[in-house]
Amino acid sequence: MIPILLAAIAASLPLTSAHIAIWHPSMYGFNVTEQTFPYDNRPVVPLQDMTFQEWWFHNHLDYPPNPGDVFELPAGKPATAELACNKGATSYFASSEGGDIRNGNDPCPGSPPAEYHTTGLDDVKGCALAIAYEPDVRKIKPEDFVVFSVNQTCVWNRFTDFHVPARMPAGPEGGCHCAWFWIHSPDSGSEQIYMNGFKCDVTGATSNVPLAKPKVARRCGADPEHGKPDPVPGNCTYGAKQPLYWLQKEGNNEFEDYYAPPFYNDLYNFYDGAQDDIFEDSYPDGIPDPSPSQTVIPTPANVAGPTATSAHSSASSSAASTSSASGPRPSARGFRRSTGSRVGVPKKPFAQSRKLR
């Protein structure tokens, strides 16, 4: 009876609720609903072809978290986040418009994986957490964010672990700001980016080495779908990297073709887990300029986890990030794939593109 009731509730939700957001009281826009803005700007709504104000922090800067609501990042340990298509599918269902629709580790109860833009576990492309060591959110610029953790099986599970580098320093007085980023596979639905910002703070810090200034990530992994079967390690960005800002009217740092989206995985040298080479002293011998012809591959120092040079080997996911409280869900290759970000909106090329790097 309970599964039937859950399915009925989920079926009554609008289709656009099948997108994904990170959910925590520390986030900006935690209580934004479909009626808050003149347009649907709930945290789960994807971002495409928007002005900077519209996509930056999801235009939720005027809807900050309550004082004291902070997402903790334990240095050297995993921080478990909840990803879901609707707040009602998370531990925070009490403030959801639709009530409690939780179903174990399922991020979107009642929806096939195609509704959150994947054809199956082998088609997920990863998501990331980034941090800016700045307590004043109005001072943060896109180039201030440093990606510090990646989960390459995202967004397959509601409970998703993001491993925090052991050498993450403590934040300033007033704390830090973080953001969750995701770009999905082109195999299921129109292309967009996702961003949700939140207050965060590092706990248990044992190092005071600052993060390095982040650079723009470059496409360098194996890319057989675009005629590049082998990785080109010399073309990678090593060390601290910015998030992937793509497909907007302004503020982009990636300009790849609509059908060749950038991802938080080996393709852009974002390896699975803690990004342990993001500190000022991670590359004491320097980092050579990346290019397709570069043959010198830098070696990081003071790295506790996987090294950047291992980024091109397929990383296996931990049992915690791939298991499901209700058992593994089957591949969705049998489901009809979505063809647009909204019902009736066809998938079409985006005007801003350039040749792959």
Side-chain angles (χ1 to χ4, degrees):
M1 180 65 184
I2 293 177
I4 295 175
L5 179 60
L6 285 173
I9 294 174
S12 69
L13 295 172
L15 183 60
T16 50
S17 69
H19 301 298
I20 294 274
I22 191 172
W23 294 97
H24 191 267
S26 63
M27 67 188 288
Y28 288 78
F30 182 66
N31 290 313
V32 166
T33 69
E34 193 172 356
Q35 289 74 42
T36 304
F37 285 75
Y39 59 99
D40 187 0
N41 195 35
R42 291 167 298 147
V44 298
V45 174
L47 308 169
Q48 176 187 353
D49 198 26
M50 291 184 169
T51 65
F52 180 77
Q53 179 178 328
E54 289 172 330
W55 72 261
W56 182 241
F57 274 78
H58 219 294
N59 200 12
H60 288 162
L61 292 181
D62 291 332
Y63 301 86
N66 292 322
D69 285 335
V70 177
F71 188 85
E72 293 188 346
L73 305 171
K77 299 178 181 179
T80 302
E82 293 191 49
L83 309 179
C85 297
N86 185 282
K87 195 196 302 185
T90 74
S91 302
Y92 313 107
F93 63 85
S95 61
S96 171
E97 292 177 297
D100 186 2
I101 61 168
R102 291 175 297 170
N103 184 29
N105 207 22
D106 189 345
C108 297
S111 297
E115 295 301 341
Y116 45 98
H117 302 297
T118 183
T119 61
L121 183 56
D122 59 348
D123 189 49
V124 294
K125 299 299 182 183
C127 64
L129 293 186
I131 190 169
Y133 278 72
E134 173 56 63
D136 186 347
V137 70
R138 301 286 179 174
K139 293 182 179 179
I140 300 174
K141 299 178 181 178
E143 58 269 25
D144 294 329
F145 272 122
V146 177
V147 173
F148 67 89
S149 188
V150 167
N151 187 306
Q152 291 189 357
T153 59
C154 180
V155 296
W156 191 249
N157 297 298
R158 167 188 162 197
F159 294 105
T160 301
D161 283 348
F162 291 94
H163 289 267
V164 182
R167 302 180 67 226
M168 286 285 280
E173 183 177 354
C176 304
H177 278 87
C178 290
W180 175 76
F181 294 92
W182 172 46
I183 299 175
H184 63 73
S185 166
D187 293 338
S188 191
S190 296
E191 285 303 322
Q192 313 105 354
I193 71 170
Y194 290 74
M195 176 187 186
N196 302 117
F198 53 97
K199 288 284 292 182
C200 61
D201 212 356
V202 178
T203 61
T206 59
S207 172
N208 59 7
V209 178
L211 274 58
K213 183 177 177 60
K215 298 180 180 179
V216 175
R218 294 171 63 89
R219 199 179 189 101
C220 64
D223 196 8
E225 292 185 353
H226 298 95
K228 296 181 179 181
D230 300 313
V232 185
N235 199 41
C236 290
T237 300
Y238 292 91
K241 293 182 280 294
Q242 297 175 20
L244 305 169
Y245 306 125
W246 179 64
L247 218 60
Q248 307 307 312
K249 288 181 178 177
E250 53 189 359
N252 299 310
N253 64 1
E254 299 289 344
F255 302 89
E256 310 296 22
D257 184 81
Y258 180 92
Y259 292 107
F263 299 125
Y264 294 99
N265 59 20
D266 296 358
L267 186 61
Y268 280 76
N269 204 24
F270 289 109
Y271 48 88
D272 198 28
Q275 309 297 290
D276 289 307
D277 67 336
I278 60 176
F279 306 98
E280 287 185 351
D281 64 354
S282 292
Y283 292 91
D285 296 329
I287 301 176
D289 293 333
S291 77
S293 59
Q294 179 61 258
T295 59
V296 178
I297 308 303
T299 301
N302 303 312
V303 172
T307 63
T309 54
S310 69
H312 304 293
S313 60
S314 298
S316 59
S317 301
S318 65
S321 63
T322 57
S323 62
S324 170
S326 57
R329 295 189 301 283
S331 170
R333 293 197 183 280
F335 291 107
R336 179 168 58 90
R337 295 180 181 179
S338 171
T339 57
S341 59
R342 299 178 180 85
V343 176
V345 180
K347 185 173 181 178
K348 61 179 183 295
F350 188 68
Q352 186 178 19
S353 64
R354 76 176 184 194
K355 185 178 178 181
L356 300 183
R357 288 174 294 182

